[in-house]
């Protein structure tokens, strides 16, 4: 566990649908109508009520975030955000990925949510290099804490041992003593 300006930051290797937090973040697509990867896992575990709410919302631009309840999962809410599809790094990918983290936390703040779990957005189907994406994720979260300081705990949930170890290395560098 790490601490940054009083906020706990932890890393967990595993399935985000099993995490108990005020909100888990979904790496969705612009339609918000479900898909594979973590999106598919969240809709399966949460049940049909999430899709019903997503249909009413009607989509989400890349880098923005929308919120639904979490259905049958242990968390209270799902914050659906859309990361960029990685091309060659010159298509504004970094800013859009940063916005996805930052805007997810802004929405959490609006709903007075104190614990938020993130997957590694864009690093599956969307092809964002994991190392680069990890740095952007951590910077987005730290900037939010600096600017808003309104959150108690951030949990990065990594689906593979490799990505878990990468985050550990990045956070050790950034926040380790
Ligand atoms: N818990 C935590 N992380 C997971 C889980 C899980 N259950 N399952 C996969 N991951 P991806 P993207 C990791 O492809 O790249 C969907 O079809 C996975 O190992 O889920 O943002 C959407 O509908 C990877 O590191 O999301 C979109 O169309 C990370 O989650 C598109 O994929 C993100 O991989 C979004 O692509």
């Amino acid at each position: 566990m790490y601490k940054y300006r009083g906020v706990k930051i932890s890393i967990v290797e595993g399935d985000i649908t099993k995490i108990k937090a005020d909100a888990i973040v979904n790496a969705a697509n612009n339609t918000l109508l479900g898909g594979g990867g973590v999106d598919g896992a969240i809709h399966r575990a949460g049940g049909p009520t999430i899709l019903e709410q997503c249909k009413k919302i009607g989509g989400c631009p890349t880098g923005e975030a929308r919120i639904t309840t979490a259905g049958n999962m242990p968390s209270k809410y799902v914050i659906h955000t859309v990361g960029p599809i990685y091309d060659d790094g010159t298509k504004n990918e970094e800013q859009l990925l940063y916005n996805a983290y930052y805007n997810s936390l802004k929405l959490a703040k609006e709903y007075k949510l104190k614990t938020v779990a993130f997957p590694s957005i864009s690093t599956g189907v969307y092809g964002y290099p994991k190392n680069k994406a990890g740095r952007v994720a951590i910077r987005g979260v730290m900037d939010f804490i600096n600017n808003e300081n309104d959150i108690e705990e951030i949990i990065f949930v990594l689906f593979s041992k490799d990505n878990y170890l990468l985050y550990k290395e990045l956070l050790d560098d950034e926040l380790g003593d």
Side-chain angles (χ1 to χ4, degrees), residues 14-17 27-29 34-39 41 83 119-127 130 157-160 163:
D15 178 357
I16 202 166
T17 66
N29 60 57
V38 69
D39 194 4
S120 178
I121 299 165
S122 284
T123 63
V125 178
Y126 281 0
K130 287 196 164 69
V157 184
L158 295 321
F159 205 49
S160 67
N163 212 13

Side-chain angles (χ1 to χ4, degrees), residues 114-169:
K114 298 297 180 189
T115 58
V116 179
F118 282 100
S120 178
I121 299 165
S122 284
T123 63
V125 178
Y126 281 0
Y128 209 114
K130 287 196 164 69
N131 194 311
K132 287 195 171 100
R135 287 172 199 278
V136 175
I138 291 167
R139 189 162 53 78
V141 164
M142 287 175 72
D143 284 355
F144 182 86
I145 293 169
N146 269 321
N147 297 340
E148 311 268 352
N149 208 340
D150 205 58
I151 204 99
E152 284 171 11
E153 183 172 14
I154 301 291
I155 307 163
F156 289 113
V157 184
L158 295 321
F159 205 49
S160 67
K161 175 126 242 151
D162 278 3
N163 212 13
Y164 173 85
L165 291 174
L166 170 74
Y167 268 71
K168 182 171 173 353
E169 200 180 309

Side-chain angles (χ1 to χ4, degrees), residues 1 6-10 12 16 19-26 67-68 70 74-79 104-119 141 144-145 149-157:
M1 207 257 283
V7 180
K8 283 192 227 169
I9 300 182
S10 32
V12 173
I16 202 166
I19 296 284
K20 189 171 178 188
D22 290 339
I24 59 171
V25 175
N26 182 18
I67 192 164
T68 68
S75 292
K76 291 186 205 141
Y77 291 92
V78 177
I79 293 174
S104 294
L105 290 174
K106 272 172 81 172
L107 193 51
K109 180 182 176 181
E110 265 175 61
Y111 278 72
K112 302 191 175 356
L113 309 180
K114 298 297 180 189
T115 58
V116 179
F118 282 100
V141 164
F144 182 86
I145 293 169
N149 208 340
D150 205 58
I151 204 99
E152 284 171 11
E153 183 172 14
I154 301 291
I155 307 163
F156 289 113
V157 184

Side-chain angles (χ1 to χ4, degrees), residues 46-114:
T49 157
I50 298 179
L51 186 58
E52 280 164 30
Q53 295 168 72
C54 282
K55 282 183 180 156
K56 287 193 187 127
I57 294 168
C60 179
T62 306
E64 293 189 19
R66 301 290 184 265
I67 192 164
T68 68
T69 56
N72 303 324
M73 291 182 289
S75 292
K76 291 186 205 141
Y77 291 92
V78 177
I79 293 174
H80 304 263
T81 189
V82 184
I85 298 173
Y86 193 84
D87 181 7
D88 60 358
T90 70
K91 307 290 193 301
N92 208 26
E93 293 98 328
E94 189 174 333
Q95 184 67 49
L96 290 168
L97 185 61
Y98 178 93
N99 292 351
Y101 283 91
Y102 203 96
N103 288 328
S104 294
L105 290 174
K106 272 172 81 172
L107 193 51
K109 180 182 176 181
E110 265 175 61
Y111 278 72
K112 302 191 175 356
L113 309 180
K114 298 297 180 189

